[in-house]
Amino acid sequence: MTRTVRAKAPAKVNLQLTVGPPSSDGYHPLVTVFQALDLWETVEATPRTDGEITLALEVPAGAPVDATRVPLDESNLAWKAAALLARTFGIDDGVDLRIVKGVPVAGGMAGGSADAAAALVACAEAWDAGATRAQLATLAARLGADVPFSLHGHTAVGLDRGDRLTPAMTHGEFHWVLATQSEGLSTPTVFAELDRRRAAREQATSDFEVDGALMRALMAGDAVALGQALTNDLEGPAMSLMPRLEAVLDACDAADACGAIVSGSGPTVAALARSRQHALAIAAHLKAAKVADAVVTASGPASGTVVVAD
């Protein structure tokens, strides 16, 4: 009997993102600390018997998402995930995929990677593929550097391309305010700008190791200490490409955020609050300052990709 399976995967913020020089294959090795946030991408998978894959999109009212920038063909990571799973497990059936967007597009929060992770889990269940979580994690790494963390969730240290994950110990809950822009930033372009800045000696190379102060703040559940330890090598390049991000960071500072950082390759700025109430106050300040196209609050760490009950 055909059934629809729904899975959800979280957004992420990089608490630390240290980028090494590019290797011979063009990829940059990373030391990063991820935290999953309770903003979700949901993917529904309904098997079909003709071997075809289709993709539809829904953007809930109020979600900070520009639907026109989401491809609905085989270039979409959710589509690629379904096709890879089918090839790997010898599945002849097709699938109708429906994505419900809740994470900004090209915002540095891994919304596309969350789609891929949710599609892997939903399709594996809908097709009754018998895939283990470890097998799905292996496929996730083939789809993109952030996809394994979207599957894993919580808080984790990522090495190499960010896909070698080790869980990080945390205490309590952290509250975030996310200031998004309608215009995105291309991840390859931001990395290229980092390389240019370093070659021109405009930006130094960071110590290539996990930040001890950041890990201690996570274990203590200390938002103030964590805010002071946030680092991102891509923040300078992102601000160079989109100078108005400086005004967002200044507004976060004026709102007494514990810390603020460009998330991943940007342009979303993530501000850390002392409490849920403080997050709401920061959000109100950012909205009044009109430095972002949308402002949302979220908490972490959130779970990894899970099947959602009807």
Side-chain angles (χ1 to χ4, degrees):
M1 182 177 66
T2 298
R3 65 183 182 124
T4 296
V5 176
R6 184 183 300 112
K8 67 176 185 178
K12 62 85 179 170
V13 63
N14 295 86
L15 312 180
Q16 174 185 345
L17 182 52
T18 302
V19 182
S23 56
S24 58
D25 61 5
Y27 280 92
H28 296 74
L30 305 175
V31 174
T32 187
V33 180
F34 298 104
Q35 185 162 95
L37 305 181
D38 59 358
L39 293 177
W40 303 97
E41 294 286 284
T42 303
V43 175
E44 296 179 353
T46 306
R48 50 190 295 156
T49 58
D50 59 4
E52 297 295 317
I53 297 174
T54 71
L55 186 58
L57 181 70
E58 176 185 336
V59 179
V65 176
D66 180 1
T68 64
R69 292 163 54 206
V70 181
L72 298 178
D73 56 18
E74 61 272 10
S75 65
N76 187 289
L77 272 177
W79 185 306
K80 291 181 179 181
L84 177 61
L85 183 72
R87 290 197 303 273
T88 302
F89 286 87
I91 294 166
D92 296 324
D93 287 348
V95 66
D96 292 321
L97 298 174
R98 179 171 167 269
I99 298 174
V100 182
K101 295 290 293 181
V103 179
V105 181
M109 299 182 68
S113 297
D115 289 337
L120 283 175
V121 170
C123 289
E125 183 77 12
W127 282 331
D128 196 21
T132 66
R133 198 73 173 190
Q135 288 172 318
L136 293 181
T138 298
L139 296 183
R142 293 172 58 184
L143 291 163
D146 286 340
V147 183
F149 179 72
S150 297
L151 198 66
H152 181 280
H154 304 285
T155 306
V157 175
L159 301 178
D160 292 343
R161 298 181 183 181
D163 56 350
R164 264 184 54 209
L165 298 174
T166 303
M169 292 182 61
T170 64
H171 178 75
E173 190 174 39
F174 295 92
H175 303 282
W176 296 88
V177 181
L178 305 158
T180 71
Q181 307 292 334
S182 57
E183 178 186 354
L185 280 173
S186 160
T187 297
T189 301
V190 176
F191 273 93
E193 174 65 6
L194 172 65
D195 293 338
R196 185 202 67 76
R197 287 165 59 92
R198 285 178 170 171
R201 300 187 182 277
E202 297 173 12
Q203 181 171 336
T205 300
S206 304
D207 292 336
F208 202 66
E209 59 186 21
V210 178
D211 187 285
L214 185 144
M215 299 304 289
R216 289 191 293 273
L218 284 170
M219 286 189 286
D222 188 336
V224 173
L226 180 61
Q228 294 171 349
L230 300 173
T231 58
N232 180 4
D233 283 352
L234 297 181
E235 182 169 279
M239 292 173 65
S240 176
L241 294 166
M242 190 177 285
R244 66 176 177 271
L245 294 181
E246 184 174 359
V248 187
L249 292 167
D250 287 345
C252 294
D253 185 57
D256 196 28
C258 299
I261 192 170
V262 172
S263 180
S265 58
T268 298
V269 170
L272 184 59
R274 293 185 298 272
S275 64
R276 193 178 302 274
Q277 292 73 21
H278 187 210
L280 294 173
I282 294 172
H285 180 88
L286 295 183
K287 289 175 183 177
K290 298 182 179 179
V291 292
D293 293 311
V295 180
V296 296
T297 59
S299 298
S303 75
T305 306
V306 294
V307 172
V308 181
D310 291 336

